């Protein structure tokens, strides 16, 4: 399974990439929203998206909304998992996440939980 990881903290990004790669996932990582949008429109199309909530250039929620406006991406990129190290999310943000039906992992999170949300690494098969 191809996974796009969007995380602005280098240490967290590297650790998650290594963790997922060792378990058979094909991971590509970027540090901000602009890079993520670029990768989403390259031939390397991810099957899953893991994104931090607060990013340089926008938010993970902005990224998800842009992805869902694109019919090809909306169909092919699933699951989508949001993560954050901030526990001070406002009710407005929590409501937006609920509206978008986005699971949220609070960092640090249990890696087993992340794997269960992703599902098994499987070969890429576009729809």
């Amino acid at each position: 399974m191809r996974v796009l990881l969007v995380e602005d903290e280098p240490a967290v990004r590297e650790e998650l990439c290594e963790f997922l790669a060792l378990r058979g996932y094909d991971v590509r990582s970027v540090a901000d929203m602009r890079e993520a949008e670029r990768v989403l429109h390259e031939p390397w199309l991810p099957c899953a998206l893991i994104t931090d909530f607060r990013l340089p250039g926008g938010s993970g929620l902005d990224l998800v909304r842009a992805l869902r406006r694109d019919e090809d991406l909306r169909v092919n990129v699933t699951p989508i998992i949001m993560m954050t190290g901030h526990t001070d999310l406002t009710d407005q943000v929590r409501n937006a996440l609920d509206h978008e039906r986005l699971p949220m992992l609070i960092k640090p999170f249990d890696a087993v939980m992340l794997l269960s949300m992703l599902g098994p690494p499987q070969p890429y098969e576009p729809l």
Side-chain angles (χ1 to χ4, degrees), residues 38-92:
R38 182 182 49 77
V39 171
L40 284 169
H41 291 93
E42 289 180 357
W44 186 94
L45 180 64
C47 299
L49 172 67
I50 304 170
T51 182
D52 196 4
F53 179 74
R54 294 183 179 160
L55 297 168
S59 74
L61 190 55
D62 295 333
L63 179 61
V64 169
R65 287 175 174 158
L67 180 149
R68 288 184 171 166
R69 283 191 298 269
D70 184 303
E71 187 174 331
D72 290 333
L73 294 176
R74 182 176 61 239
V75 170
N76 287 299
V77 182
T78 182
I80 299 171
I81 301 166
M82 187 81 60
M83 59 185 178
T84 188
H86 302 276
T87 57
D88 61 344
L89 299 178
T90 65
D91 287 340
Q92 182 180 8

Side-chain angles (χ1 to χ4, degrees), residues 7-38:
E7 170 59 62
D8 59 322
E9 296 179 40
V12 174
R13 188 172 59 247
E14 290 169 20
E15 186 175 329
L16 277 173
C17 277
E18 183 177 344
F19 173 80
L20 293 170
L22 288 171
R23 281 148 185 86
Y25 296 90
D26 179 8
V27 185
R28 185 126 173 232
S29 66
V30 297
D32 60 42
M33 188 167 157
R34 185 177 312 158
E35 288 181 86
E37 289 175 327
R38 182 182 49 77

